[in-house]
Amino acid sequence: MTKLPNTVCPLCWNPTSEAGLKQVDWLDPRVLSRIADRHPSWRREDGACPACVQEALLETLHAYGDAALHAGIQAVWPLDAEAAFGALPTPLRMHADPHYHGRGVTLALVDSAFYPHPDLTEAGNRIRAWADATREPVSALTFGRQQKPRWPGWNVGHPAQWHGLMTSAVAAGNGFLSHGLYCGLASKADVVLVQTRDEDGRITNATIARALEWLAARAEEFELHIVSLSVAGDPVESLAGNAVDEAVRRLVESNITVVAAAGNNGERHLLPPATAPGALTIGGIDDKNLFDHSEVELWHSNYGESVAGTLKPELVAPSIWLVAPLLPGTEQAAEALDLFARRSRGDAAGNPEIAPQIANEKLVTPYYKLVEGTSFAAPLVASTIACMLEANPGLTPAGIRRLLLAAAHPVAGAPVERQGAGALDSGRAVALALRARSERAHDSSEPARRPSTRKSRRNGRG
């Protein structure tokens, strides 16, 4: 595991760097005032880590409105002095509510393969289980909070692991190797990881269905709330009754929300599980790494209809300019460390190849890079749902769908069949979830209380 500096943030006491502490220098006075209000003994010269600065920015955005800080943030980004590109962290670009991080929610990710990255295992392991669904019976391992998760082939450095690592970190990573900066929206959620890539390199409908059936059977054990699928199965002659769509239906009927990536070819062609009527199918947008909604354009994601005639996708979300970890122990990870080490020594001035190499590899820091695809748009929606459920545990899949669609921003000039209700707005979706909880409590004349078990959520209204 990478050793981080011994410097700690005076606000959260988490490890950071000297350069990271200096990020308060450019902050708007309103943000500085908010930090000082929360920490009366704090002084500006004490500094604050990027994660605490980002939290203060989000709180100020929510207090004063979007326009109050957008221009200032965009002008001085990157926040991390060691970053090569000014890629906005996910919580900021999604206007996330800083009070909700998916705590108490379990999210399952179905992908090719996975890696137990520090962003998921440090400061307490959040990987509840790993499973291999490529053969019957499904093999699985469960882990405790203090365990270091390990499973067969966990450290082989295969590209299939990198894909699953990136999707799981985009959803639920805590940004450990970036001092908390490049975290997912559901950075406090627990995860279950189910791999589906067989020895021949294929992901079949049979394997995806087996993965979903295994999750359904273990849902009570893991108190499972959400399943995110960043996989595509086989074409089917007839959508009606196909095994994957049926497995999705059973999960939704069990009060589990299912999210699926639409695919990346820009074609009117969908494959299971994106075809499932019960799933929220997620297409892509390019927000240009900007806050301005007017700059958003559709990304080249797939679209179509389900067997029920439902238009797909239901939503679109960022599919480019997303930051995710490099796979430790690989040549790419070693190259990134070397390039940034040479850059920090000033070698870039004498070696003009360093900057182009960093750009070509889309490296953001020594441990993170830019990624793209609807494989990452789907976990963004899934992590938003985790925050919605933390805010309002009584929501059902139908209620979650309704609120997400109501919160979305239509993409100007884009056809409905390619964007559904529009672009994901995480902060607004959580706000609507909170409103629904308040209205339910008012209607019942009882105070809103958080159910202590997953079973109690089944009686909630959406």
Side-chain angles (χ1 to χ4, degrees):
M1 189 194 75
T2 305
K3 185 178 180 180
L4 294 176
N6 292 326
T7 305
V8 297
C9 171
L11 303 182
C12 66
W13 296 100
N14 286 325
T16 187
S17 64
E18 290 290 347
L21 290 177
K22 297 177 181 178
Q23 301 303 327
V24 297
D25 292 345
W26 60 269
L27 287 180
D28 184 286
R30 288 167 293 187
V31 183
L32 293 171
S33 176
R34 186 165 289 271
I35 296 176
D37 287 344
R38 293 183 60 190
H39 305 274
S41 62
W42 178 82
R43 300 171 302 169
R44 180 172 180 166
E45 53 266 32
D46 296 334
C49 73
C52 286
V53 170
Q54 181 177 188
E55 182 177 10
L57 285 168
L58 281 167
E59 289 182 348
T60 311
L61 282 169
H62 278 260
Y64 293 103
D66 296 352
L69 294 173
H70 280 181
I73 296 171
Q74 206 85 53
V76 298
W77 204 262
L79 178 62
D80 185 346
E82 297 178 355
F85 297 108
L88 292 168
T90 298
L92 269 179
R93 76 190 299 178
M94 303 309 299
H95 291 181
D97 188 315
H99 304 100
Y100 298 96
H101 307 279
R103 189 187 301 273
V105 177
T106 302
L107 162 66
L109 296 111
V110 179
D111 209 316
S112 52
F114 296 91
Y115 178 86
H117 193 271
D119 283 15
L120 296 171
T121 64
E122 289 297 328
N125 170 50
R126 291 180 293 116
I127 300 176
R128 295 279 303 275
W130 164 91
D132 180 357
T134 57
R135 56 175 61 89
E136 187 70 48
V138 173
S139 59
L141 296 169
T142 58
F143 309 104
R145 190 71 69 192
Q146 303 306 317
Q147 284 184 275
K148 290 189 178 296
R150 298 291 184 263
W151 50 78
W154 70 271
N155 60 348
V156 298
H158 194 280
Q161 290 178 279
W162 194 354
H163 194 271
L165 160 60
M166 292 187 290
T167 58
S168 57
V170 164
N174 63 9
F176 183 79
L177 296 186
S178 63
H179 315 298
L181 182 63
Y182 292 114
C183 64
L185 298 181
S187 59
K188 302 291 186 183
D190 289 337
V191 295
V192 174
L193 309 176
V194 186
Q195 69 179 47
T196 55
R197 181 184 182 275
D198 63 25
E199 294 178 354
D200 296 328
R202 299 178 63 239
I203 298 176
T204 66
N205 287 347
T207 297
I208 297 171
R210 187 182 303 120
L212 298 178
E213 290 162 359
W214 181 83
L215 286 169
R218 306 292 289 274
E220 291 288 350
E221 175 185 350
F222 298 127
E223 295 184 296
L224 184 62
H225 308 92
I226 312 156
V227 175
S228 179
L229 296 119
S230 292
V231 293
D234 309 308
V236 291
E237 291 186 7
S238 172
L239 283 179
N242 77 80
V244 175
D245 287 10
E246 286 298 299
V248 169
R249 178 183 60 79
R250 287 189 288 271
L251 281 169
V252 174
E253 289 176 350
S254 298
N255 207 33
I256 297 169
T257 303
V258 180
V259 181
N264 306 323
N265 298 324
E267 301 173 347
R268 199 178 195 282
H269 177 65
L270 297 171
L271 296 172
T275 54
L280 283 163
T281 300
I282 312 303
I285 55 170
D286 179 1
D287 63 6
K288 311 297 177 64
N289 196 38
L290 298 170
F291 286 118
D292 191 348
H293 291 309
S294 67
E295 296 290 333
V296 172
E297 295 179 354
L298 285 185
W299 199 72
H300 47 81
S301 50
N302 292 357
Y303 58 102
E305 293 182 6
S306 71
V307 67
T310 307
L311 289 177
K312 298 280 184 174
E314 282 87 355
L315 281 173
V316 287
S319 294
I320 191 169
W321 296 101
L322 295 165
V323 180
L326 292 157
L327 180 60
T330 60
E331 291 183 7
Q332 295 93 335
E335 181 184 23
L337 286 170
D338 177 64
L339 286 170
F340 277 89
R342 291 162 64 189
R343 178 175 177 259
S344 67
R345 294 194 301 265
D347 290 359
N351 187 344
E353 294 182 2
I354 292 179
Q357 279 183 277
I358 289 175
N360 289 338
E361 295 295 328
K362 301 180 180 178
L363 299 173
V364 177
T365 79
Y367 310 108
Y368 298 86
K369 68 172 291 180
L370 296 176
V371 297
E372 59 185 76
T374 57
S375 285
F376 309 106
L380 275 181
V381 174
S383 59
T384 297
I385 295 169
C387 296
M388 294 170 70
L389 285 171
E390 181 187 2
N392 183 353
L395 287 173
T396 63
I400 288 167
R401 176 186 291 257
R402 175 176 58 82
L403 297 181
L404 280 171
L405 301 191
H409 293 283
V411 178
V416 172
E417 68 173 346
R418 295 196 59 190
Q419 67 166 313
L424 172 70
D425 188 322
S426 297
R428 192 177 178 199
V430 171
L432 292 179
L434 286 167
R435 183 189 300 173
R437 180 177 181 175
S438 176
E439 291 173 351
R440 183 173 69 248
H442 181 268
D443 290 344
S444 63
S445 300
E446 294 179 359
R449 292 173 298 176
R450 179 174 182 143
S452 59
T453 65
R454 181 179 175 275
K455 186 176 291 185
S456 62
R457 284 187 56 244
R458 290 186 169 181
N459 296 321
R461 292 189 291 145

